[in-house]
Amino acid sequence: MRVDIWSDIVCPWCYIGKARFERALEAFEHADEVEVEFHSFQLDPSAPREPAPMLEALAAKYGMTAEQARAADEGVAANAEREGLPFTGDRPHANTLDAHRLLHLAKERGVQREAVEALFAAYFGEGADVFHRDALVLLAEKAGLEAEEARQVLDGDRYADRVREDAERARELGASGVPFFVVDERYGVSGAQPSDVFAEVLQKAWEERD
């Protein structure tokens, strides 16, 4: 059985939703027969390349005051902490295209899950740069990729078309945001749902397999 997950590296609900889904999958009786694949979805494809403080970007995007942006992020942080996830509000914000391109390389090399983990942990857990080439190369190495190959990808535009194709496919499936999960190509789950919701969908999809 297959599960496809659309997410963005700087999306906190994607970070939380991934953890909730994985908790459900870990308890699923047939977990060893479930293939999980991550897909790209940029929440803000027009975001600048150079990082700015995340709270400033959040306030500007939604017309919030600085205090409102901080309160909103603290609410998300509380959800992350309930899942046992490290979460810092002191993190940058910029365009995620290069990070997504790196994830497509990781998919081809069989270490996509490790790369997703490395990026989420660095960004939300440490407030680290996941945008510039050198920082991404270090994270690529941590995930098991070759540094030189990662540099070659980041120095060109390889996989950019696949990032766009992933986003277009999500929209065709009716997704307007992320995280978005598709279980066995038949059940869509939108948002960072509780683990028991994912557990129910996994079980239902398994029982209805041809």
Side-chain angles (χ1 to χ4, degrees), residues 76-157:
V76 180
N79 278 274
E81 289 164 6
R82 281 194 287 272
E83 301 299 327
L85 298 171
F87 193 97
T88 177
D90 185 20
R91 56 191 193 273
H93 180 81
N95 198 292
T96 58
L97 176 60
D98 285 345
H100 282 294
R101 293 197 299 119
L102 199 61
L103 288 177
H104 280 277
L105 170 64
K107 174 187 171 184
E108 287 193 354
R109 299 295 176 263
V111 293
Q112 188 188 48
R113 182 173 180 177
E114 291 84 351
V116 171
E117 289 279 358
L119 287 164
F120 273 146
Y123 184 68
F124 289 105
E126 304 168 18
D129 181 341
V130 295
F131 310 106
H132 289 122
R133 187 191 75 158
D134 290 348
L136 285 169
V137 169
L138 288 174
L139 290 168
E141 285 187 289
K142 186 174 182 179
L145 291 169
E146 293 291 335
E148 184 55 34
E149 186 175 29
R151 287 191 193 95
Q152 290 174 0
V153 167
L154 295 170
D155 285 344
D157 63 356

Side-chain angles (χ1 to χ4, degrees), residues 23-98:
R23 183 174 295 111
L25 182 61
E26 185 178 349
F28 184 52
E29 181 181 2
H30 308 286
D32 59 345
E33 297 181 64
V34 177
E35 175 188 357
V36 178
E37 182 174 331
F38 289 88
H39 301 274
S40 301
F41 191 104
Q42 288 185 275
L43 286 172
D44 188 3
S46 64
R49 289 285 192 170
E50 286 303 310
M54 184 280 304
L55 291 178
E56 288 183 12
L58 184 65
K61 182 175 182 178
Y62 294 104
M64 298 176 172
T65 65
E67 292 75 15
Q68 288 172 328
R70 185 172 297 280
D73 196 57
E74 287 174 351
V76 180
N79 278 274
E81 289 164 6
R82 281 194 287 272
E83 301 299 327
L85 298 171
F87 193 97
T88 177
D90 185 20
R91 56 191 193 273
H93 180 81
N95 198 292
T96 58
L97 176 60
D98 285 345

